[in-house]
Amino acid sequence: MLVAERYEKIVEWVDTQGSMRVTELSERCGVTEETIRRDLDKLEQAGRLRRSHGGAVSVKYKDELQSEIPYPERAVAHAEEKRRIASEAVKMVESGDRIALDASTTAWYMAAGLPNIPLTVLTNSIKVAAELSNKEQIRVIATGGQLASKSLSFVGPLAERSLDAYHVDKVFLSCKGVHLTKGISESNELQALVKQKMIHIADEVILLADSSKFNIQAFTRVAAMSSVGKVITDQGVDEEHVSALIEQNITCIRV
């Protein structure tokens, strides 16, 4: 395969799937991973794709950030359930913990409820960071990166790379969809990649998901259900889902 032909194939595959890993592209093209990384760098410079940790994201989804539901709208959707879930999650935080919070509205409610005790909080959310700014015992570390204005969060390669520098005891995150066989999913590719990285650097993964998220498979897969240790949800979740989570050795807490 000629270099130019390989470039075209890489862009075609990434556009079709939304994102691809270096390892998969290497296998498909029959070249080394280092060659693929150089190819991706050149294609990114040409504006034909976007580099991400371990792979590439299609530029077809560059406007996806603009399609996110604005923060004020998300904050009021199922607000009471989210507040109860957040309150329960706060109970799992102990003095001295290092935790990660994503850019979900439930994580924001959780940040508001955190006591002013010695903690380290790593987040890609401007709202979470601002909420914790008046709690002097809590050390806040923000990822930086590309600003997603509607969600008031940082995403993109810089946000992903900054997470590589840290390790946390627990990550508390939400998502757009929880499917018992398909796993956790997000409607936004770049948000999904940040959540994947947060899961990777955490000892324990706690999913904060109200019952409206269940049996939903959104556009981008974040992780398998096996990566989750605990799920905090509300009383509206079906008994069938609770039983299935327990069968997968996932603790399910309904509030």
Side-chain angles (χ1 to χ4, degrees):
M1 186 184 298
L2 298 174
V3 173
E5 182 184 359
R6 188 170 72 239
Y7 286 173
E8 293 303 316
K9 283 293 184 182
I10 289 172
V11 173
E12 177 187 339
W13 292 329
V14 171
D15 281 348
T16 299
Q17 296 191 205
S19 66
M20 288 192 73
R21 309 289 293 179
V22 168
T23 50
E24 187 176 3
L25 289 169
S26 172
E27 291 172 3
R28 288 197 184 192
C29 294
V31 296
T32 65
E33 293 184 12
E34 186 57 38
T35 297
I36 292 296
R37 290 189 186 94
R38 288 196 296 268
D39 290 349
L40 296 182
D41 287 339
K42 290 178 181 178
L43 289 167
E44 182 179 47
Q45 290 169 11
R48 303 195 64 191
L49 51 74
R50 190 193 308 275
R51 290 284 272 121
S52 66
H53 180 78
V57 178
S58 171
V59 292
K60 283 187 175 182
Y61 301 103
K62 67 181 179 181
D63 295 327
E64 195 177 347
L65 292 173
Q66 300 306 314
S67 68
E68 286 187 308
I69 299 172
Y71 210 99
E73 292 181 34
R74 290 193 290 126
V76 298
H78 306 282
E80 187 53 42
E81 291 89 344
K82 290 176 179 178
R83 287 191 181 96
R84 292 201 304 270
I85 290 168
S87 295
E88 186 66 25
V90 167
K91 297 176 185 177
M92 298 180 181
V93 178
E94 301 174 352
S95 180
D97 271 352
R98 299 163 300 179
I99 67 172
L101 297 178
D102 71 352
S104 64
T105 51
T106 312
W108 174 44
Y109 287 134
M110 184 179 170
L114 281 173
N116 186 20
I117 59 175
L119 295 172
T120 297
V121 177
L122 176 62
T123 187
N124 70 317
S125 168
I126 293 175
K127 293 281 286 184
V128 167
E131 189 66 47
L132 296 173
S133 62
N134 63 346
K135 300 179 182 182
E136 66 276 2
Q137 293 196 67
I138 299 179
R139 183 171 67 133
V140 180
I141 301 172
T143 62
Q146 177 186 346
L147 176 64
S149 58
K150 290 192 176 181
S151 61
L152 296 174
S153 63
F154 294 115
V155 294
L158 178 58
E160 295 166 41
R161 287 197 298 270
S162 67
L163 288 168
D164 275 327
Y166 301 102
H167 167 264
V168 295
D169 303 303
K170 302 160 188 169
V171 58
F172 296 86
L173 55 86
S174 190
C175 60
K176 289 296 187 294
V178 181
H179 195 283
L180 296 173
T181 56
K182 303 296 184 180
I184 309 165
S185 56
E186 264 296 333
S187 60
N188 183 279
E189 177 82 29
L190 299 179
Q191 295 285 358
L193 290 168
V194 172
K195 291 174 194 275
Q196 286 174 2
K197 180 60 65 176
M198 286 184 169
I199 289 171
H200 180 71
I201 66 169
D203 286 338
E204 184 178 10
V205 178
I206 298 114
L207 181 64
L208 315 176
D210 66 76
S211 54
S212 70
K213 308 287 181 68
F214 279 78
N215 210 31
I216 299 294
Q217 184 181 4
F219 177 70
T220 305
R221 187 173 186 267
V222 175
M225 289 306 299
S226 58
S227 67
V228 177
K230 294 185 177 73
V231 173
I232 308 177
T233 186
D234 59 70
Q235 295 290 340
V237 71
D238 293 339
E239 288 292 342
E240 177 185 351
H241 288 126
V242 175
S243 299
L245 289 171
I246 294 171
E247 287 177 9
Q248 295 184 52
N249 296 317
I250 300 170
T251 301
C252 182
I253 302 169
R254 288 184 290 179
V255 295

